[in-house]
Amino acid sequence: MTVTESAGLLPVDHIRNIAIIAHVDHGKTTLVDGLLKQSNVFRDPDAAGDLIMDANDLERERGITVFAKNAAVTYQGYKINIIDTPGHADFGGEVERVLNMADGCLLLVDAVEGPMPQTRTVLQQALALGLRPIVVVNKLDRPAARPDVVVSLTQDLFLELATDPEQLDFPVVYAIARNGRAGYAPDVLEDDFRPLFDTIIREVPAPVVDREGRAQLLIGSLDYDSHKGRIAIGRIHRGSIALGDTLVQLGDEEGPIRSKVAWLGAFEGLGRTEITRAGAGEIVAISGFGDAKIGATLADPADPHQLAAIKIEEPTLKLTFGVNTSPLAGREGKFQTSRQIRERLYRELETNLSLRVEPTEQADVFSVSGRGELHLSILIETMRREGYEFQVSRPVVITRLVDGEVHEPIEQLTIDCTEDFVGAVTELVGGRRARMLDMVNDGRGSVRLEFAIPTRGLIGLRNAFLTATKGNGVMASRLIGYEPWLGAIQSSRSGALVATESGQVLAHGLTNAQERGFTFCEPGVEVYEGMIVGQHPREGDLPVNVCRAKKLTNMRASTSDITIKLTPAVILSLEQSLDFLADDELLEVTPKNLRLRKRLLTQDERAKAKKRADMAAQAANAQRG
């Protein structure tokens, strides 16, 4: 490809590339909605609705951003490319792979909560890449808003993380994203986002690029179109790319791959517009590269220089995906075989960079590692909705061996609650090997607690925390490093009620089961031997027959005998089911149901396995003695 003049291209000094980063639930998605609506992207902004960028069903249902996305708006002749990123720590890989497209970032901070764990994580990554930060103090309309204190806390955070003295001189914009208002002082807000737009144009630098060099693009995202095939999305770092150009893909294990640019698009609003040429500094979408991978470089064959690979942190939790082996297998899912599950998991690796998939000793079971419990549960729910049927194990932490000693991941846990629940929260996390780092009382009845806690201590903590605080608390965490294994953790899990027969649940059998604990199923549900149908309040599993029918006699029953009063079943969510699992249990996942079960279904098999385990433990103790 010969180097051509860049005439006709959008001037590089009229391009602004910004990433919007924040802790979860600090109003980032709402702010993006406002930026899109006020830049005349929609003919009728009021009809555009909310959560515009969160088009995925799971994102809308859970109210969080899961996937990084691109959009673009035009303001006073400037094109602003917006990179929307997730705020939850479990999806940090989505942030890491797209920040290299930006030259600046909007750091959103809640006017009440202030900087949170993920605020620190994403800001540290942005500053390390040299992005120009703009702090947006959002949610000024909250009754307990304290913008001055939040700005002071944010300045302290910058002092800890800044890699350049210039990064300490950051502009601050105050906003109520829900109302589409912003300003330079907390008590003087304009009726629109013009102060924010003006600050972006003034403070975020134009891309510093070489438009006369040979083409070079780093792939940061992938998309798919039924007509165009796989679409690679990335920022042009050097030169220009035109429709029909031949580029070489670098970074593939199989070696360089040549292909032609079959389609070239630039972002406009929420969509993409076909263009014939784009220059360095632009974020574009390219089709024609069927083997495109995130982190690969597309370059001019005359100068095939590969850009630095995208760095992604290692996962901290793992579980197993396997073929469903329950008696009800094959009734509800479209994809059930080990080949289909394997293909789907490895296909996920193309876009989910922080995920790891490895084979195990069993041909139909795969080990899947991720950043956290939510990261893995989103994958499980996505596959379930696509029609896959499988079973998963209890999540366990990924340890490291350092100088012959086992080290485990440690997280910084931040908890906001009222003074009334400090004792309950401290007792709850103390049993999970947490140690307190800091405690701050804001003088208005709220307390912020910070702990260092093993990652395995977070498994099942959220539900226990919400119960302990009666829903009046907020918790968040981030990975801070590895420490030597801290020892056993107290388990809040008691025994399980295990079905002894297969069939339909009957009210009479369920009544007897509810006398021994609380149940997970309603009358009429089909169960099988070895399926967990409830929780026993004491240690140890208890076999129950929920399919038991009332024996019929020729004696007339009294009215009180006819009436059966049942307690409503406890229906566990996916995350609650994963939290409930013990080492000898599995979660059966189908498009229609989630079923808890024992690994060994019959009582005889479980008794024999327990006897073997006890004998092995005795032999090991004797050998040590």
Side-chain angles (χ1 to χ4, degrees):
M1 182 181 71
T2 59
V3 179
T4 60
E5 294 293 324
S6 59
L9 300 178
L10 182 67
V12 71
D13 60 350
H14 278 60
I15 298 174
R16 298 292 185 270
N17 298 321
I18 61 165
I20 302 185
I21 58 178
H23 184 81
V24 65
D25 201 31
H26 278 198
K28 177 177 49 57
T29 302
T30 306
L31 180 72
V32 174
D33 289 350
L35 293 175
L36 291 170
K37 290 177 180 178
Q38 292 189 21
S39 57
N40 300 320
V41 168
F42 305 103
R43 183 174 299 175
D44 184 2
D46 294 333
D50 299 322
L51 307 177
I52 299 169
M53 293 282 280
D54 289 348
N56 183 280
D57 289 340
L58 273 175
E59 291 179 317
R60 287 183 170 271
E61 289 173 15
R62 294 172 181 257
I64 60 173
T65 300
V66 175
F67 308 104
K69 308 173 193 68
N70 295 81
V73 299
T74 302
Y75 177 74
Q76 294 184 355
Y78 288 85
K79 181 176 183 181
I80 303 175
N81 287 306
I82 299 173
I83 305 163
D84 186 21
T85 64
H88 199 286
D90 282 19
F91 308 108
E94 291 286 307
V95 182
E96 292 161 3
R97 69 177 175 83
V98 297
L99 280 184
N100 60 76
M101 297 186 197
D103 300 294
C105 63
L106 296 184
L107 177 69
L108 259 73
V109 185
D110 189 291
V112 175
E113 296 179 359
M116 295 288 281
Q118 187 64 4
T119 311
R120 173 185 290 271
T121 301
V122 294
L123 179 61
Q124 186 172 17
Q125 295 168 355
L127 295 180
L129 291 171
L131 303 189
R132 173 64 172 158
I134 299 173
V135 173
V136 180
V137 180
N138 190 29
K139 300 189 179 182
L140 290 176
D141 55 336
R142 292 185 64 178
R146 44 175 191 160
D148 295 339
V149 175
V150 167
V151 170
S152 178
L153 293 172
T154 306
Q155 288 172 337
D156 294 341
L157 183 61
F158 270 81
L159 281 171
E160 292 182 43
L161 303 178
T163 58
D164 189 305
E166 293 183 0
Q167 293 173 337
L168 299 176
D169 184 22
F170 56 87
V172 179
V173 178
Y174 301 88
I176 304 176
R178 183 174 59 180
N179 298 340
R181 302 178 63 196
Y184 299 113
D187 52 351
V188 183
L189 298 183
E190 302 290 339
D191 292 331
D192 52 30
F193 279 145
R194 276 183 297 177
L196 181 56
F197 279 118
D198 292 337
T199 305
I200 292 172
I201 300 303
R202 183 177 62 253
E203 298 290 342
V204 176
V208 180
V209 292
D210 175 15
R211 285 201 165 183
E212 303 304 324
R214 301 285 181 176
Q216 198 178 43
L217 176 144
L218 182 66
I219 300 175
S221 299
L222 292 177
D223 199 358
Y224 183 81
D225 185 271
S226 56
H227 299 291
K228 302 178 182 68
R230 182 173 296 189
I231 296 175
I233 300 171
R235 171 177 164 173
I236 304 176
H237 284 257
R238 189 179 65 189
S240 62
I241 296 176
L243 194 64
D245 282 350
T246 298
L247 300 175
V248 60
Q249 179 178 320
L250 308 171
D252 195 282
E253 296 177 356
E254 300 177 358
I257 303 173
R258 285 187 177 225
S259 189
K260 281 191 174 183
V261 178
W263 181 84
L264 181 65
F267 287 91
E268 185 175 327
L270 293 175
R272 294 187 284 257
T273 303
E274 185 173 0
I275 57 176
T276 57
R277 178 178 291 278
E282 270 275 33
I283 297 176
V284 296
I286 297 176
S287 72
F289 295 82
D291 295 319
K293 292 180 174 62
I294 294 176
T297 301
L298 300 182
D300 190 319
D303 184 14
H305 179 69
Q306 185 176 348
L307 291 163
I310 299 172
K311 294 182 180 180
I312 302 293
E313 287 188 12
E314 292 298 313
T316 57
L317 282 183
K318 65 180 179 180
L319 47 72
T320 61
F321 278 63
V323 173
N324 187 10
T325 57
S326 87
L328 302 181
R331 299 187 182 185
E332 299 172 1
K334 294 188 295 183
F335 309 108
Q336 308 148 8
T337 67
S338 60
R339 178 185 61 82
Q340 291 169 329
I341 295 173
R342 180 185 183 279
E343 288 178 353
R344 177 62 183 85
L345 289 174
Y346 278 93
R347 190 165 70 248
E348 184 70 18
L349 295 179
E350 296 178 0
T351 55
N352 201 336
L353 296 191
S354 50
L355 200 72
R356 301 287 185 273
V357 178
E358 299 171 344
T360 65
E361 296 178 354
Q362 298 173 267
D364 59 352
V365 177
F366 307 94
S367 175
V368 179
S369 307
R371 282 285 188 88
E373 199 173 9
L374 183 61
H375 185 205
L376 293 170
S377 69
I378 288 290
L379 172 62
I380 294 171
E381 184 64 29
T382 301
M383 291 179 60
R384 176 191 181 194
R385 296 187 181 199
E386 291 174 357
Y388 286 84
E389 182 177 319
F390 50 92
Q391 60 190 23
V392 297
S393 67
R394 179 177 182 266
V396 296
V397 297
I398 301 174
T399 58
R400 293 180 178 177
L401 202 61
V402 181
D403 298 328
E405 189 176 11
V406 176
H407 282 57
E408 63 176 326
I410 303 295
E411 310 221 7
Q412 176 190 342
L413 174 65
T414 301
I415 291 177
D416 288 329
C417 64
T418 59
E419 295 173 340
D420 301 338
F421 301 111
V422 171
V425 168
T426 305
E427 182 180 0
L428 176 65
V429 299
R432 295 169 178 262
R433 298 286 178 174
R435 65 177 185 272
M436 183 175 289
L437 303 176
D438 193 14
M439 181 172 68
V440 179
N441 192 317
D442 67 354
R444 293 183 288 183
S446 295
V447 180
R448 171 164 292 185
L449 304 166
E450 290 189 4
F451 300 90
I453 185 172
T455 298
R456 58 195 170 101
L458 295 177
I459 299 175
L461 175 62
R462 186 170 298 276
N463 294 322
F465 169 74
L466 291 175
T467 301
T469 61
K470 300 180 180 179
N472 294 313
V474 178
M475 59 175 281
S477 64
R478 71 180 186 95
L479 181 68
I480 56 175
Y482 286 76
E483 292 182 7
W485 187 265
L486 295 178
I489 286 179
Q490 295 178 5
S491 175
S492 58
R493 159 72 193 274
S494 55
L497 301 179
V498 185
T500 58
E501 287 190 13
S502 301
Q504 279 195 344
V505 176
L506 298 177
H508 182 68
L510 204 58
T511 303
N512 294 331
Q514 289 187 348
E515 292 175 357
R516 293 161 174 81
F518 56 85
T519 55
F520 299 153
C521 52
E522 300 280 3
V525 173
E526 191 168 3
V527 299
Y528 51 83
E529 183 182 3
M531 181 172 161
I532 297 172
V533 295
Q535 184 170 2
H536 188 218
R538 299 178 182 176
E539 293 293 327
D541 297 334
L542 183 68
V544 293
N545 183 7
V546 291
C547 302
R548 180 182 177 185
K550 182 179 172 67
K551 293 182 178 179
L552 300 178
T553 68
N554 58 357
M555 301 294 292
R556 184 185 297 274
S558 66
T559 305
S560 61
D561 198 27
I562 294 174
T563 304
I564 296 178
K565 295 182 180 180
L566 293 175
T567 304
V570 176
I571 306 301
L572 301 180
S573 66
L574 175 57
E575 283 81 9
Q576 289 172 328
S577 299
L578 290 173
D579 292 343
F580 184 85
L581 287 175
D583 292 334
D584 65 336
E585 297 166 357
L586 296 170
L587 174 63
E588 178 186 353
V589 181
T590 75
K592 297 181 180 179
N593 289 290
L594 297 172
R595 302 185 184 97
L596 295 162
R597 52 159 288 186
K598 290 291 182 179
R599 285 181 185 268
L600 303 175
L601 295 178
T602 67
Q603 197 167 350
D604 288 343
E605 289 176 326
R606 295 195 294 276
K608 291 177 182 178
K610 186 177 184 304
K611 186 177 181 180
R612 287 194 298 268
D614 292 342
M615 292 176 62
Q618 291 175 1
N621 291 333
Q623 189 174 5
R624 284 196 297 268

